[in-house]
Amino acid sequence: MRKDSRMTRRQLLRIAGGVGVSAAGVAALAACGEAEPQIVTKEVPVEKIVVKEVPVETVVTKTEIKEVPVQTVVTQTEIKEVPVERIVTQEKVVTKEVPVERVVTREVVKEVVKEVPAMREKVKVRWQEVWADAFQPTIEEKMIPGFEAQFPYIEIVNERIEEAQMYEIYLTQIAGGDPPDVIQIQESRVPQFAVRGGIIPLDAFIGKAGLNLSEIFYAGEWPKGSWLGVQYALPLDNTGAWYLFWWNKDTFEEVGLDPDTPPTTWTELEEMALKTTVREGGEITRHGMFVPEMIKGARTDASFKGWQFPAGGHMFTEDAKQVLFDDAIGLRNVTWQLDMVEKLNDGWDNIQGYMDAVGASRTAFYNDLLTMRVEGVWFLGVMRRDAPDINAGVTHMPYDDTNPNAKPRSISDDGWSYGMPKGAQNLEEGWEWLRYLTADQGNLDFMGNLKRPSSVPKFNEDPLYQTEPLWNDLKSVLPLVEASPITPVNPDIDQLLKDEMELMMAGKQSPEETLASMAGQTRELLDEFFDSL
Amino acid sequence: MRAPRWTIGRREAVWGFVFISPWVLGFLIFSLGPMVAIIAWGFTEYDILQAPKLAGLENYIEIFTEDEKFLKSLANTAIYVGLLVPCQVVIGFLLAVLVNTKLPMAALFRAFYFLPTIMPLVVASIVWAWVLQPELGLLKFLLEDTMGIPTPRFMVDEYWSKPGIVILTVWSSIGVQMILFLAALQAVPPHLYEAAEIDGAGPLRKLIHVTIPLVSPTIFLVIIIGIINSFQVFTTAFVLTQGGPLDSTLFYVLYLWRKAFVSFEFGYASALATILFIIIMFLTALSFWVSRRLVHYEQPES
């Protein structure tokens, strides 16, 4: 006989009763468990000693200065200088010092304090970054423990992601509603995220923490993390100096140049590059310099921007709405680069092979196949790792001495920073970690380990760096860096600059056509974007 | 009243559905769902961070009327597919024939030829970047510096960049084609060769009249897979050339990726993806139509 497997009504009621009792038990147990710790905010009276200081009184007497120019009378035979009426005036500055009145009072004020319960449950802050590979020990043994000692209720979860996929990952996480709390982001991409609400404004946190960004960071660094006056990210490193000039001192000595005197102008650069070039059997066996090769990889966009500033030019107006490079300086920049390729390297074909993704130009520099090159601050650490014995020097980019307004300066329109993505769960805790990574000890730990300049000037004075012989030379270039405006269409502009410069180098278009095309396309992108706002 | 018993056929069908249900669910959720979403986003202005806005046919109109890089990337990809797929078929088949012989250590050769397949493509790309490097590379050292043979300037010459990527792709993927052909070769009944030999056929005739017709379904499979995969080429160009020199390796998916993740134009990129989907579907259908005349399927004995 087949056993009937159907459930009787009594069995059903028994099971339902059992489930009900179990659920009630679970609920009761849960109620007996540890309650969620709360942050208690309360006002407590605090007695404070207030010291008032009356400032030094300064009295300045100003006198107007008038100058009458030299008058020159030209006759047919001679030039006569008529005596000039010279009014010499003096500016008298009288500084009157008044003794400082020091008033010490005791006041009872009410201060809002946050009480964190001792048993507070830890908040996990998810931190995604792309650099940790070689620096995992520093992160795990120094940075995270250092931070967690200060903030015992925060646990940092380090999630390393691939740089090549970082934006795919960020966007997918944000769209999926599961972003991390703190992300590493390139400053060239900050406005792109900001204009779409993909990254959280930091102004409220910065204000609450009382941070004065211009006092903490280099002037060329912190503005890159902002968009339309709102700060969205704080800088990690000083990548402002994307364009530093490196030379091989041994090769300089070999050809009779002073190893400690690098070229400071474009004329000197050409002379020294020709002097260090070696030709054998009609072929160049050692190049002096690849002028359009910068950074690593086929970044001809970088070569345009990189030489534009020492040429005495600019890229955009301060509000980023107008193109400024479409002028005589821009034309001089592209024409000079093309001329140098012909004069120093016998054509683009001899350079192109070194402009690859694997860093052949670096290898050439290490192996005395290339004497001078341009790369950013990071090259110091890379060079020490790859070729520790190389006797190299570093200085600012040579400037165009045919332009009286040109001077040693460098553009900064990218770099690494940290921000908090849209949908981040732990904003307060995430901010504390972000601040630690950028403006606090975490930044020194990380950047010092890399032997790479920090975005915080005072950290660059740390003894951690002083073992590096080139450190002071490198550090001296950092103040020459100027931030250039970044817009949400920056990545598209970089791409078109690269494409157009490459076409010119390959002989497909003239410098004039190149400049006109770059300027036209850039204007179109900027106009389209600003019109859409 | 007793429920009617299921027939064996129905029971097998139910179990069949049970066993394939994970794949079906996976396909519906992870493949069909995104495909439908991408087709829909193609008609919107969308940047993934904000809600999509309906844009009608704007993306498609821009692609077909204004976008020069669309045509350039499509042409680059077509040339690449045209170079790669015949190489995969011919070299894969020849290698399979080679390792199918009763040579000593044939199994070792099979393993060697298959090894590159398990290497991640990013790693393979970096290794090959150094091999083909036009100034300091291994190939230049072996051919030009040692023997005086001029070496093509792979990766930096706009005419040699695609062949360079084809060489790398063949090297890294040929193991799969070889294994497919090897399986097909080993399935050819030996009595057909014996009959051909009795008829006086030499090795070449046996290859043309016996082997190739019998492995033609595998050749067809390799071509179809080759077309589908090579139209989606991305990693090698992304790692080695970033689309250069002079956009000569700006392949379709690399361009699509730039639109999506560099310019944040997801709606536009979705329209590009939909067009690629239609192109691949069309080419696959065309291959099936052509295969009706060229592919020989053994009829099962009744």
Side-chain angles (χ1 to χ4, degrees):
Chain A
M1 194 182 146
R2 193 168 154 264
K3 196 179 173 184
D4 192 349
S5 61
R6 280 185 300 176
M7 201 181 282
T8 64
R9 191 174 295 168
R10 181 170 294 180
Q11 281 173 318
L12 181 71
L13 285 171
R14 251 185 227 157
I15 290 169
V19 169
V21 169
S22 306
V26 169
L29 280 171
C32 295
E34 195 183 344
E36 177 99 1
Q38 298 293 316
I39 301 174
V40 181
T41 306
K42 62 179 182 181
E43 286 188 343
V44 293
V46 176
E47 191 173 309
K48 274 192 166 180
I49 296 170
V50 180
V51 179
K52 283 182 186 168
E53 287 190 355
V54 180
V56 171
E57 188 184 331
T58 307
V59 181
V60 180
T61 310
K62 279 186 183 171
T63 315
E64 196 176 296
I65 301 168
K66 279 183 188 172
E67 280 191 12
V68 179
V70 171
Q71 220 177 10
T72 309
V73 178
V74 181
T75 65
Q76 276 183 336
T77 51
E78 58 180 340
I79 299 169
K80 278 184 183 174
E81 284 195 357
V82 178
V84 177
E85 184 192 343
R86 192 179 171 88
I87 301 170
V88 181
T89 56
Q90 283 183 339
E91 185 177 293
K92 195 175 178 185
V93 179
V94 181
T95 305
K96 194 176 172 185
E97 288 192 2
V98 179
V100 174
E101 185 191 344
R102 199 177 170 91
V103 185
V104 180
T105 55
R106 280 178 187 273
E107 281 181 14
V108 176
V109 292
K110 281 191 174 177
E111 204 173 64
V112 178
V113 295
K114 260 185 185 178
E115 275 189 1
V116 181
M119 292 300 288
R120 185 178 174 186
E121 195 179 334
K122 276 197 172 182
V123 176
K124 283 187 179 177
V125 168
R126 286 176 60 206
W127 165 48
Q128 287 186 351
E129 47 81 42
V130 299
W131 274 6
D133 254 0
F135 311 103
Q136 208 62 35
T138 310
I139 289 169
E140 285 174 6
E141 292 160 20
K142 214 168 176 185
M143 292 166 65
I144 293 178
F147 175 80
E148 288 178 350
Q150 275 187 46
F151 298 90
Y153 62 95
I154 301 177
E155 182 185 338
I156 301 299
V157 182
N158 174 211
E159 298 173 2
R160 191 194 182 281
I161 57 171
E162 283 299 322
E163 184 182 336
Q165 295 172 320
M166 58 190 287
Y167 296 111
E168 292 157 61
I169 294 169
Y170 293 160
L171 290 171
T172 315
Q173 291 176 132
I174 293 169
D178 184 32
D181 298 304
V182 180
I183 54 170
Q184 189 173 353
I185 183 169
Q186 284 160 304
E187 284 150 346
S188 60
R189 306 297 288 265
V190 168
Q192 244 188 335
F193 275 79
V195 78
R196 294 171 172 89
I199 191 164
I200 292 167
L202 299 179
D203 287 351
F205 298 102
I206 293 167
K208 199 172 164 189
L211 300 186
N212 185 341
L213 301 189
S214 55
E215 279 180 8
I216 296 171
F217 300 107
Y218 281 99
E221 287 300 320
W222 65 271
K224 294 183 293 175
S226 65
W227 170 243
L228 297 178
V230 178
Q231 199 72 28
Y232 289 91
L234 294 184
L236 165 67
D237 59 342
N238 189 315
T239 35
W242 263 47
Y243 308 97
L244 297 178
F245 188 84
W246 304 83
W247 79 99
N248 187 325
K249 291 185 174 182
D250 290 343
T251 312
F252 265 46
E253 201 161 14
E254 179 197 312
V255 299
L257 291 169
D258 179 359
D260 295 318
T261 310
T264 55
T265 63
W266 286 9
T267 306
E268 287 174 8
L269 170 64
E270 185 182 337
E271 287 166 8
M272 292 182 182
L274 283 170
K275 203 159 186 181
T276 53
T277 300
V278 176
R279 286 183 162 83
E280 282 172 17
E283 278 194 17
I284 299 176
T285 53
R286 183 175 68 202
H287 291 268
M289 169 89 185
F290 299 140
V291 168
E293 184 274 318
M294 286 186 178
I295 297 167
K296 189 186 91 167
R299 290 289 304 270
T300 37
D301 58 312
S303 88
F304 180 74
K305 293 188 291 187
W307 288 114
Q308 180 68 2
F309 271 53
H314 284 91
M315 290 299 290
F316 307 107
T317 50
E318 267 184 37
D319 62 3
K321 289 183 178 175
Q322 302 294 323
V323 169
L324 288 180
F325 61 77
D326 185 18
D327 60 1
I329 296 172
L331 187 61
R332 161 83 173 141
N333 174 6
V334 289
T335 312
W336 175 74
Q337 288 194 47
L338 196 60
D339 284 351
M340 287 301 105
V341 169
E342 291 303 323
K343 279 186 187 169
L344 306 181
N345 316 107
D346 298 345
W348 177 238
D349 281 353
N350 291 324
I351 295 186
Q352 216 184 355
Y354 291 98
M355 298 186 68
D356 61 8
V358 290
S361 52
R362 285 178 180 171
T363 309
F365 185 71
Y366 302 148
N367 291 286
D368 199 24
L369 301 171
L370 176 66
T371 309
M372 296 173 269
R373 68 183 301 263
V374 173
E375 188 157 354
V377 285
W378 57 85
F379 187 55
L380 180 59
V382 172
M383 188 173 69
R384 291 288 180 242
R385 182 196 65 198
D386 296 344
D389 299 329
I390 192 168
N391 183 17
V394 60
T395 187
H396 59 78
M397 297 269 282
Y399 64 94
D400 182 8
D401 43 339
T402 63
N403 179 358
N405 297 319
K407 58 182 181 180
R409 56 200 275 260
S410 183
I411 180 180
S412 167
D413 67 347
D414 206 349
W416 288 103
S417 61
Y418 280 110
M420 293 196 284
K422 173 185 169 185
Q425 295 297 305
N426 304 298
L427 293 181
E428 292 287 343
E429 294 80 5
W431 160 253
E432 294 297 352
W433 177 239
L434 190 154
R435 189 174 75 155
Y436 188 79
L437 285 173
T438 53
D440 214 329
Q441 184 65 28
N443 187 279
L444 174 61
D445 289 343
F446 194 73
M447 301 313 299
N449 189 279
L450 274 163
K451 293 281 185 292
R452 186 164 158 168
S454 162
S455 52
V456 181
K458 71 175 180 190
F459 290 161
N460 291 331
E461 305 299 329
D462 194 88
L464 199 59
Y465 291 104
Q466 301 311 321
T467 52
E468 168 51 58
L470 289 178
W471 183 247
N472 287 332
D473 294 342
L474 188 145
K475 203 175 59 177
S476 68
V477 184
L478 303 180
L480 304 175
V481 176
E482 297 168 36
S484 184
I486 306 170
T487 62
V489 289
N490 212 59
D492 295 320
I493 293 173
D494 281 355
Q495 185 64 48
L496 78 88
L497 294 180
K498 175 187 173 300
D499 290 348
E500 295 299 327
M501 286 292 286
E502 202 182 354
L503 282 170
M504 182 187 77
M505 291 296 171
K508 309 267 181 187
Q509 62 188 18
S510 69
E512 289 81 4
E513 289 168 333
T514 304
L515 193 67
S517 182
M518 290 195 299
Q521 291 182 65
T522 306
R523 268 193 205 102
E524 204 175 304
L525 279 169
L526 290 174
D527 290 349
E528 195 181 323
F529 168 71
F530 283 108
D531 288 348
S532 72
L533 283 181
Chain B
M1 190 182 148
R2 282 182 62 185
R5 277 175 169 255
W6 283 5
T7 62
I8 292 173
R10 187 179 289 183
R11 205 181 300 161
E12 280 185 348
V14 168
W15 279 113
F17 283 120
V18 168
F19 283 122
I20 66 162
S21 59
W23 182 88
V24 172
L25 284 174
F27 174 75
L28 291 174
I29 296 166
F30 299 114
S31 295
L32 193 64
M35 278 161 69
V36 171
I38 280 166
I39 292 168
W41 287 336
F43 297 103
T44 64
E45 191 185 315
Y46 183 39
D47 64 11
I48 219 171
L49 292 170
Q50 299 173 105
K53 288 181 214 158
L54 199 63
L57 290 171
E58 263 179 41
N59 291 329
Y60 289 94
I61 292 167
E62 193 180 331
I63 288 170
F64 289 115
T65 59
E66 294 173 31
D67 192 345
E68 288 171 14
K69 297 222 168 175
F70 161 69
L71 280 181
K72 176 90 180 166
S73 62
L74 195 58
N76 283 339
T77 312
I79 294 169
Y80 171 77
V81 174
L83 288 172
L84 177 67
V85 176
C87 287
Q88 284 179 325
V89 172
V90 173
I91 298 172
F93 181 75
L94 291 177
L95 280 181
V97 170
L98 191 72
V99 298
N100 194 35
T101 53
K102 287 170 185 166
L103 286 172
M105 296 198 298
L108 196 66
F109 279 110
R110 283 176 209 166
F112 278 147
Y113 289 133
F114 194 76
L115 265 181
T117 309
I118 58 172
M119 184 185 276
L121 200 50
V122 173
V123 179
S125 300
I126 292 169
V127 170
W128 274 90
W130 275 115
V131 172
L132 302 177
Q133 216 290 328
E135 303 294 345
L136 311 169
L138 183 66
L139 192 70
K140 181 180 182 273
F141 172 74
L142 291 177
L143 294 182
E144 202 166 309
D145 299 348
T146 313
M147 293 188 274
I149 302 167
T151 321
R153 294 170 63 77
F154 293 110
M155 310 302 173
V156 296
D157 184 310
E158 60 179 314
Y159 301 108
W160 280 105
S161 53
K162 281 189 274 290
I165 293 183
V166 166
I167 291 171
L168 156 60
T169 313
V170 167
W171 177 82
S172 67
S173 68
I174 204 67
V176 174
Q177 285 93 38
M178 182 195 74
I179 291 291
L180 288 170
F181 281 122
L182 187 62
L185 287 173
Q186 291 182 345
V188 176
H191 67 263
L192 295 179
Y193 291 117
E194 288 163 14
E197 276 170 22
I198 290 165
D199 289 343
L204 191 64
R205 279 186 175 274
K206 279 196 284 184
L207 180 75
I208 294 168
H209 295 291
V210 179
T211 312
I212 289 179
L214 287 171
V215 300
S216 60
T218 306
I219 295 174
F220 176 61
L221 176 75
V222 169
I223 289 172
I224 293 286
I225 293 173
I227 289 173
I228 293 171
N229 284 342
S230 51
F231 256 100
Q232 297 174 60
V233 55
F234 173 77
T235 309
T236 42
F238 181 74
V239 174
L240 288 178
T241 58
Q242 292 101 42
L246 299 170
D247 280 346
S248 60
T249 58
L250 180 64
F251 296 124
Y252 196 90
V253 175
L254 180 59
Y255 178 53
L256 186 158
W257 177 87
R258 267 193 204 167
K259 280 286 176 189
F261 296 106
V262 177
S263 306
F264 285 11
E265 294 178 39
F266 281 85
Y268 196 87
S270 299
L272 286 170
T274 306
I275 293 167
L276 180 65
F277 174 68
I278 293 167
I279 291 170
I280 293 177
M281 287 292 280
F282 171 75
L283 288 174
T284 308
L286 187 71
S287 307
F288 270 99
W289 182 75
V290 172
S291 75
R292 272 193 262 164
R293 288 186 57 199
L294 299 177
V295 178
H296 169 81
Y297 290 100
E298 278 287 271
Q299 296 298 317
E301 288 174 17
S302 57

